[in-house]
């Protein structure tokens, strides 16, 4: 039963999940062409290779919709021990997932002139992101390219017009429908993660905002790699609250667990969810964010769609008061969301070093 204040789509999602559709394979779109300048790939050295393969804990979202206590605790354990998990029975139609993949490929296949129009403006994280390389003078395959769309509907419409000056209803409607669906999943997960710790269900969601640079829908394209493993996205933790990932079935995601890189096998019909730095702060380290990366080593292209929400830029981030005690003191000084995200942008990706800059006490065991 939805409680007062529950977003309408959560109620709709709960009804949908009572009879979830049977997952069917998502058609693989045609990969886009790359007419921008190519740059050399970052080949991984032998000391940084994969050490294991594994599957993430699987959470049944249908059970979470019905506040199943056993499934909530299963979610809590997965978030505490892994920081990554997969959710099934999410109720998002395979047709919509296929449509979003298709529209992402259309956008990446646009001519370089259109992509250049959509480059991020000064001070913005949103727009088209050209491939980068650690070798400025290298030649060969480009690394991943990306499109970061604002979650704010007005700002997103402005961005889409930069790609298509006449507008594009097919792209706009697919993205809007997808954002509505995954936002409902994100809110349900945050409610369950909070209630699983004995907190108010809105504890982790009360300051979420669609404004600001860090709340975004990011579409990624990773080209087919050379035989040697190539780093498509560097090791990092996500600065937002939680992240919801859809991928096209081609592997490449790796997470760092117990000082070992583990390749995560894509599971048909499920989303990958991971804890972000902000949730680690609010949970006082009970829910740790996890360093992860993308390695391109396949003869197939990989695409992904990442949905992430962050607190309002001026929101004060600190551990929840109920999770602070003499035995478990606060691990972080208070700081604004904007302060943290600017630090992330300034210092770049380097594991979880950005989060460590805001600590006031040693990491708890």
């Amino acid at each position: 039963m939805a409680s007062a204040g529950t977003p309408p789509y959560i109620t709709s999602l709960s009804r949908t999940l009572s009879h979830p559709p049977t997952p069917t394979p998502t058609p693989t779109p045609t990969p886009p062409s790359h007419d921008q300048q190519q740059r050399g790939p970052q080949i991984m050295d032998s000391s940084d290779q994969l050490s294991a393969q594994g599957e993430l804990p699987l959470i049944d979202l249908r059970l979470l919709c019905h506040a199943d206590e056993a499934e909530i605790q299963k979610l809590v354990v997965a978030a505490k021990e892994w920081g990554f998990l997969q959710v099934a029975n999410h109720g998002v139609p395979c047709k919509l997932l296929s449509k979003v993949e298709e529209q992402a490929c259309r956008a990446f296949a646009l001519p370089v002139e259109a992509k250049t129009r959509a480059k991020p403006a000064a001070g913005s994280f949103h727009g088209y992101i050209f491939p980068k390389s650690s070798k400025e003078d290298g030649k060969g395959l480009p690394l991943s390219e990306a499109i970061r769309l604002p979650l704010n509907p007005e700002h997103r419409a402005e961005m889409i017009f930069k790609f298509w000056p006449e507008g594009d209803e097919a792209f706009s409607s697919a993205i809007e429908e997808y954002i509505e669906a995954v936002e409902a999943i994100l809110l349900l997960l945050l409610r369950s993660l909070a209630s699983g710790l004995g907190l108010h269900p809105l504890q982790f969601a009360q300051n979420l905002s669609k404004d600001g640079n860090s709340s975004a829908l990011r579409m990624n394209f990773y080209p087919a790699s050379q035989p040697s493993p190539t780093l498509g996205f560097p090791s990092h933790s996500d600065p937002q609250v939680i992240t919801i990932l859809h991928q096209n079935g081609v592997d490449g995601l790796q997470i760092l667990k117990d000082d070992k890189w583990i390749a995560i096998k894509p599971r048909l019909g499920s989303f990958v969810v991971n804890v972000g730095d902000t949730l680690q702060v609010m949970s006082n380290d009970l829910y740790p964010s996890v360093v992860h990366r993308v390695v391109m080593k396949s003869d197939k292209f990989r695409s992904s769609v990442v949905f992430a929400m962050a607190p309002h830029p001026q929101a004060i981030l600190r551990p929840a008061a109920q999770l602070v005690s003499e035995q478990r003191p606060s691990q972080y000084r208070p700081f604004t969301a904007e302060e943290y995200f600017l630090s992330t942008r300034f210092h770049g990706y380097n594991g979880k070093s950005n989060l460590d800059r805001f600590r006031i006490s040693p990491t708890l065991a």
Side-chain angles (χ1 to χ4, degrees):
M1 182 74 65
S3 60
T6 300
Y9 196 83
I10 288 286
T11 305
S12 173
L13 179 66
S14 181
R15 287 195 290 265
T16 300
L17 292 178
S18 297
H19 299 88
T22 301
T24 56
T26 301
T28 301
T30 302
S33 61
H34 293 272
D35 50 6
Q36 66 271 19
Q37 179 183 0
Q38 293 184 330
R39 302 185 177 107
Q42 183 176 345
I43 305 299
M44 299 166 59
D45 61 49
S46 58
S47 64
D48 200 27
Q49 300 301 304
L50 180 69
S51 60
Q53 291 186 332
E55 290 194 6
L56 298 172
L58 184 64
I59 303 300
D60 190 332
L61 200 61
R62 175 175 49 188
L63 296 178
L64 288 188
C65 275
H66 296 291
D68 182 273
E69 185 60 33
E71 199 67 13
I72 290 175
Q73 289 307 311
K74 184 179 175 182
L75 170 67
V76 168
V77 171
K80 285 182 174 181
E81 296 184 356
W82 282 80
F84 264 81
L85 53 103
Q86 296 185 89
V87 294
N89 292 331
H90 46 69
V92 180
C94 292
K95 183 178 180 180
L96 175 57
L97 299 177
S98 177
K99 188 190 305 183
V100 171
E101 284 188 27
E102 178 184 349
Q103 294 304 320
C105 281
R106 284 187 59 232
F108 285 123
L110 287 170
V112 67
E113 293 81 5
K115 297 174 181 178
T116 301
R117 286 197 304 267
K119 288 199 306 182
S124 173
F125 293 8
H126 299 130
Y128 175 79
I129 302 169
F130 280 94
K132 294 183 175 65
S133 171
S134 61
K135 299 180 180 180
E136 293 298 326
D137 58 349
K139 295 181 180 179
L141 289 172
L143 296 184
S144 61
E145 55 182 311
I147 296 171
R148 294 186 89 254
L149 296 173
L151 297 187
N152 180 295
E154 293 183 7
H155 297 166
R156 185 168 66 251
E158 294 173 0
M159 179 59 64
I160 292 173
F161 275 115
K162 292 182 179 180
F163 286 98
W164 291 280
E166 302 301 321
D168 192 287
E169 178 59 28
F171 184 90
S172 299
S173 61
I175 296 304
E176 181 178 358
E177 185 179 358
Y178 183 79
I179 288 176
E180 181 183 16
V182 291
E183 181 183 355
I185 294 173
L186 181 144
L187 293 173
L188 181 58
L189 288 168
L190 286 180
R191 286 169 176 259
S192 301
L193 287 165
S195 62
L197 295 179
L199 305 175
H200 188 283
L202 296 180
Q203 179 70 47
F204 297 143
Q206 56 188 344
N207 290 318
L208 289 180
S209 173
K210 292 186 176 182
D211 295 316
N213 275 314
S214 291
S215 292
L217 184 77
R218 177 181 175 121
M219 299 180 290
N220 301 301
F221 176 82
Y222 303 90
S225 173
Q226 296 174 333
S228 298
T230 305
L231 197 61
F233 205 97
S235 60
H236 67 287
S237 59
D238 294 340
Q240 296 90 353
V241 182
I242 59 175
T243 298
I244 299 177
L245 166 71
H246 167 67
Q247 46 195 338
N248 69 337
V250 177
D251 63 355
L253 174 65
Q254 298 181 2
I255 70 172
L256 189 63
K257 181 173 172 57
D258 301 325
D259 296 322
K260 297 179 181 179
W261 285 108
I262 301 176
I264 303 303
K265 182 180 179 180
R267 182 186 179 94
L268 182 65
S270 69
F271 288 111
V272 173
V273 176
N274 64 278
V275 172
D277 294 344
T278 302
L279 183 54
Q280 176 167 337
V281 171
M282 293 189 293
S283 68
N284 204 24
D285 285 350
L286 289 176
Y287 294 143
S289 61
V290 173
V291 173
H292 54 287
R293 66 186 184 185
V294 174
V295 175
M296 304 185 300
K297 55 186 179 62
S298 172
D299 59 354
K300 300 178 181 179
F301 81 96
R302 181 179 186 270
S303 65
S304 65
V305 182
V306 180
F307 177 85
M309 288 191 75
H312 187 278
Q314 300 309 313
I316 303 297
L317 303 182
R318 57 164 63 92
Q322 303 92 319
L323 302 179
V324 176
S325 65
E326 183 177 348
Q327 294 73 29
R328 192 177 191 89
S330 175
Q331 295 296 292
Y332 302 93
R333 65 172 177 83
F335 55 95
T336 66
E338 183 176 37
E339 183 181 359
Y340 184 68
F341 298 126
L342 287 176
S343 172
T344 300
R345 177 154 188 168
F346 178 80
H347 293 288
Y349 294 113
N350 184 18
K352 295 179 68 172
S353 59
N354 282 311
L355 192 58
D356 292 337
R357 293 185 176 90
F358 294 84
R359 284 190 177 276
I360 57 175
S361 22
T363 304
L364 291 169

